[in-house]
């Protein structure tokens, strides 16, 4: 099977030019002007931009969490991702405390394998680091191609580990050639504030926000960076939201330390005023919570300063019925919001379209940097001969509005209902096959493959 894309404006992390792309089987074999190869299928991309397929390294599909499961499974979630131009996602396997990493991996494989339309990989979330877990780290890296280990400094009593476990894990992961990633907020302090607000009879979604002030995130981010430099392990902070946390990353660079930072689309464009709307604010109850306008400004600047390398989603959708589990108590609202399908279009429209980031930066933060940081480059994250033919053909001029009535995520509301955007995903290609064409799904469930990742060294 061969496919030829003619006359597209090809945008990578460093280039911007018009040419044709020829792919045979799953990979790109030729890029050039006026290619005359005979192809099984030809797409005229004149007037369109061609980006590397999006990589979202932070999603939660079919995840058991807070007494329920996130509402997108591997089929609906990866299909929605493809509709939105994202060809590869990295999800999180969650260790059950008291059980092995292998046990957790088998559970997640049973849910994901054979069900994905898009390509996927796993981070391993270590929630119980002990002498047995220590022995499994090398096996995850060398045998399974799982090279990033997620930790939670929050969700006390459920997923949180203490600093003793963190340092031990970091030393082991460093030895094995992996990376430690973190949900960096101070779990003890949040636990105290949640209990205090509940004791005072304060149960509205607003108190979710007020239980996680900026300092809980900046303190934990600094502590994580300090432990990472002490152990020498490459570190990555997920879903960074605020100026205070970013300042700790900036400080780390002054001592020549690289701690990668990811923000998510919602923290760039939404703010905490949404929590002032009674229970409707539950749509945006996530951890960390949305912040202030000044934090948005810091994050955009952090992207342009190279301090924030990735814009992900932390896609963790719950239907309205599920959100209502916390109608009487904010601490019972399942945390998370849907965005896997919206990230590429929102960031283009709000970022590139409004002059906040360049086109090359857009590709860096939506695809290339994640591929490099997580050991998938140059298979993924670029448009180059020999790379997987994962491409997004994008119309930069088409105007449209986001809505739950038209999205493909398995959730009955949109966190961006009515948002008017300029720029639309038209055709998504995954490993040389048209996956989505003008809203039509062209590949079956099971086409998505697990991506084994290489060791990482913290340099991109
Ligand atoms: O609210 C969130 N972020 N839900 C998903 C779990 C996590 O902390 O990433
Ligand atoms: Zn988190
Ligand atoms: Zn998450």
């Amino acid at each position: 099977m061969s496919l030829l894309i003619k006359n597209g404006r090809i945008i990578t992390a460093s280039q911007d030019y018009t040419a044709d792309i020829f792919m045979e089987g799953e990979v790109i074999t030729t890029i050039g002007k006026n290619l005359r190869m005979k192809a099984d299928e030809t797409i005229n991309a004149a007037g369109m931009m061609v980006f590397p397929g999006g990589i979202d390294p932070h999603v939660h599909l079919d995840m058991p969490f807070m007494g329920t499961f996130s509402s997108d499974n591997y089929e609906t979630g990866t299909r929605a991702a493809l509709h939105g131009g994202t060809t590869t996602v990295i999800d999180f396997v969650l260790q059950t405390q008291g059980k092995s990493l292998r046990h957790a991996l088998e559970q997640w494989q049973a849910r994901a394998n054979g069900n994905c339309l898009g390509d996927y990989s796993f981070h391993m979330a270590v929630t119980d680091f002990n002498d047995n877990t220590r022995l499994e780290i090398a096996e995850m890296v060398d045998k399974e191609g799982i090279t990033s280990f997620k930790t939670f400094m929050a969700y006390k009593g459920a997923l949180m580990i203490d600093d003793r476990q963190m340092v031990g894990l970091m030393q082991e992961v460093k030895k094995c050639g992996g990376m430690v990633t973190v949900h960096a907020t101070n779990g003890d302090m949040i636990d105290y504030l949640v209990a205090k607000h509940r004791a005072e009879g304060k149960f509205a979604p607003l108190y979710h926000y007020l239980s996680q002030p900026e300092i809980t995130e900046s303190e934990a981010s600094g502590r994580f960076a300090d432990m990472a430099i002490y152990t020498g392990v490459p570190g990555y902070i997920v879903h960074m939201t605020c100026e205070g946390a970013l300042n700790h990353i900036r400080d780390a660079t002054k001592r020549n330390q690289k701690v990668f930072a990811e923000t998510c689309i919602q923290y760039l464009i939404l703010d905490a005023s949404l929590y002032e709307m009674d229970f409707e604010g539950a749509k945006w109850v996530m951890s960390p919570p949305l912040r202030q306008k000044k934090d948005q400004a810091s994050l955009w600047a952090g992207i342009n300063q190279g301090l924030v390398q990735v814009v992900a989603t932390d896609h963790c959708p719950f239907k309205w019925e599920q959100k209502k589990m916390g109608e009487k108590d904010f601490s019972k609202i399942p945390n998370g919001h849907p965005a896997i399908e919206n990230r590429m279009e929102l960031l283009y429209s709000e970022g590139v379209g409004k002059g906040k980031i360049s086109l090359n930066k857009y590709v860096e933060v939506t695809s290339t940097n994640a591929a490099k940081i997580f050991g998938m480059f140059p298979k993924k994250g670029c448009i180059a001969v020999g790379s997987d033919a994962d491409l997004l053909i994008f119309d930069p001029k088409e105007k449209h509005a986001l809505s739950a009535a038209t999205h493909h995520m398995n959730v009955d509301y949109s966190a961006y209902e009515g948002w008017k955007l300029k720029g639309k995903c038209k055709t998504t290609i995954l490993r040389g096959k048209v996956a989505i064409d003008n809203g039509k799904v062209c590949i079956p469930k099971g086409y998505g493959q697990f991506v084994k990742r290489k060791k990482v060294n913290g340099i991109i």
Side-chain angles (χ1 to χ4, degrees):
M1 174 75 195
S2 57
L3 177 61
L4 179 62
I5 300 177
K6 299 283 296 172
N7 304 313
R9 181 174 166 196
I10 298 169
I11 319 283
T12 69
S14 56
Q15 291 177 302
D16 182 346
Y17 61 104
T18 297
D20 305 338
I21 306 171
F22 182 72
M23 55 216 86
E24 236 174 337
E26 300 197 339
V27 298
I28 296 172
T29 54
T30 314
I31 302 174
K33 301 251 183 215
N34 305 316
L35 296 184
R36 293 186 184 283
M37 283 95 165
K38 266 211 169 333
D40 297 320
E41 194 179 338
T42 301
I43 297 175
N44 181 7
M48 302 285 153
M49 290 177 176
V50 184
F51 300 127
I55 298 173
D56 188 342
H58 192 155
V59 306
H60 302 277
L61 303 175
D62 214 352
M63 177 176 75
F65 190 49
M66 296 184 73
T68 184
F69 279 77
S70 57
S71 61
D72 262 320
N73 60 26
Y74 287 89
E75 179 183 351
T76 62
T78 57
R79 185 164 55 220
L82 288 168
H83 276 286
T86 291
T87 47
T88 304
V89 300
I90 315 183
D91 201 313
F92 297 82
V93 175
L94 301 183
Q95 178 192 18
T96 303
Q97 290 174 345
K99 299 240 166 83
S100 67
L101 301 184
R102 170 67 52 196
H103 173 79
L105 180 59
E106 283 168 0
Q107 286 180 323
W108 259 258
Q109 284 170 333
R111 285 199 276 269
N113 292 0
N115 288 323
C116 293
L117 283 88
D119 283 359
Y120 65 105
S121 190
F122 289 137
H123 306 281
M124 175 58 69
V126 179
T127 63
D128 186 2
F129 185 69
N130 54 45
D131 287 343
N132 295 329
T133 320
R134 184 190 307 279
L135 297 174
E136 294 191 88
I137 301 293
E139 187 185 323
M140 289 297 142
V141 173
D142 297 329
K143 185 159 167 241
E144 304 298 340
I146 297 177
T147 54
S148 45
F149 295 85
K150 169 79 177 291
T151 58
F152 292 90
M153 294 167 91
Y155 301 122
K156 192 173 166 65
L159 304 169
M160 179 170 152
I161 58 169
D162 61 23
D163 292 350
R164 187 177 196 279
Q165 295 181 72
M166 178 70 88
V167 173
L169 173 68
M170 283 177 161
Q171 289 188 329
E172 191 61 26
V173 172
K174 160 82 181 154
K175 220 165 68 189
C176 298
M179 163 175 290
V180 174
T181 79
V182 68
H183 172 129
T185 58
N186 184 319
D188 280 308
M189 201 171 156
I190 293 168
D191 195 51
Y192 166 76
L193 290 170
V194 169
K196 179 172 180 293
H197 286 131
R198 294 175 78 222
E200 290 167 356
K202 295 168 175 167
F203 290 111
L206 176 66
Y207 292 95
H208 169 79
Y209 166 63
L210 293 174
S211 298
Q212 301 199 32
E214 180 178 0
I215 198 78
T216 60
E217 187 177 337
S218 54
E219 183 281 327
S221 302
R223 184 156 39 102
F224 175 81
D226 287 348
M227 290 186 280
I229 197 166
Y230 172 71
T231 57
V233 78
Y236 177 100
I237 299 180
V238 307
H239 55 38
M240 181 174 282
T241 70
C242 59
E243 185 183 14
L246 187 67
N247 284 340
H248 281 289
I249 296 296
R250 187 173 283 108
D251 284 347
T253 66
K254 291 183 197 155
R255 59 191 181 194
N256 206 21
Q257 181 188 6
K258 188 96 187 164
V259 185
F260 298 111
E262 160 202 290
T263 190
C264 297
I265 186 64
Q266 59 271 27
Y267 300 118
L268 291 166
I269 61 177
L270 301 177
D271 68 71
S273 59
L274 290 166
Y275 298 124
E276 283 154 22
M277 294 193 265
D278 292 332
F279 191 66
E280 211 193 326
K283 287 179 185 167
W284 300 278
V285 163
M286 62 185 82
S287 293
L290 300 172
R291 302 283 184 201
Q292 303 292 318
K293 294 255 188 260
K294 60 107 183 156
D295 297 299
Q296 294 178 356
S298 294
L299 293 172
W300 285 114
I303 289 173
N304 283 317
Q305 291 160 358
L307 296 170
V308 175
Q309 290 81 15
V310 174
V311 179
T313 58
D314 192 9
H315 177 74
C316 190
F318 296 100
K319 291 187 175 177
W320 192 238
E321 257 329 284
Q322 295 174 288
K323 285 282 184 181
K324 274 169 54 183
M325 288 163 65
E327 209 165 7
K328 294 198 170 65
D329 178 352
F330 71 87
S331 71
K332 299 198 165 43
I333 302 171
N335 287 198
H337 104 309
I340 202 167
E341 185 173 352
N342 305 138
R343 176 185 71 131
M344 300 292 282
E345 290 176 348
L346 278 168
L347 189 67
Y348 182 86
S349 191
E350 293 292 310
V352 180
K354 295 191 173 168
K356 290 196 167 80
I357 57 170
S358 71
L359 269 172
N360 298 122
K361 184 58 88 174
Y362 173 78
V363 172
E364 251 188 64
V365 299
T366 56
S367 180
T368 310
N369 283 348
K372 289 181 175 175
I373 290 169
F374 291 112
M376 296 187 283
F377 190 84
K379 176 179 167 65
K380 304 286 188 192
C382 61
I383 300 177
V385 171
S387 294
D388 280 4
D390 296 352
L391 302 164
L392 167 61
I393 302 178
F394 189 83
D395 182 347
K397 294 200 195 77
E398 185 168 331
K399 294 184 178 163
H400 62 113
L402 299 182
S403 173
T406 49
H407 74 203
H408 302 85
M409 298 175 284
N410 185 35
V411 56
D412 49 0
Y413 60 87
S414 170
Y416 305 93
E417 187 66 41
W419 275 57
K420 292 188 171 53
L421 305 186
K422 189 169 172 199
K424 195 166 185 356
C425 300
K426 302 302 288 183
T427 306
T428 307
I429 294 161
L430 174 58
R431 284 181 282 104
K433 256 202 156 91
V434 173
I436 305 285
D437 191 25
N438 267 306
K440 187 169 161 274
V441 183
C442 308
I443 51 167
K445 167 175 137 175
Y447 181 74
Q449 285 181 356
F450 182 75
V451 182
K452 277 192 176 186
R453 295 183 285 114
K454 295 181 288 192
K455 290 189 181 189
V456 294
N457 59 14
I459 300 168
I460 60 169

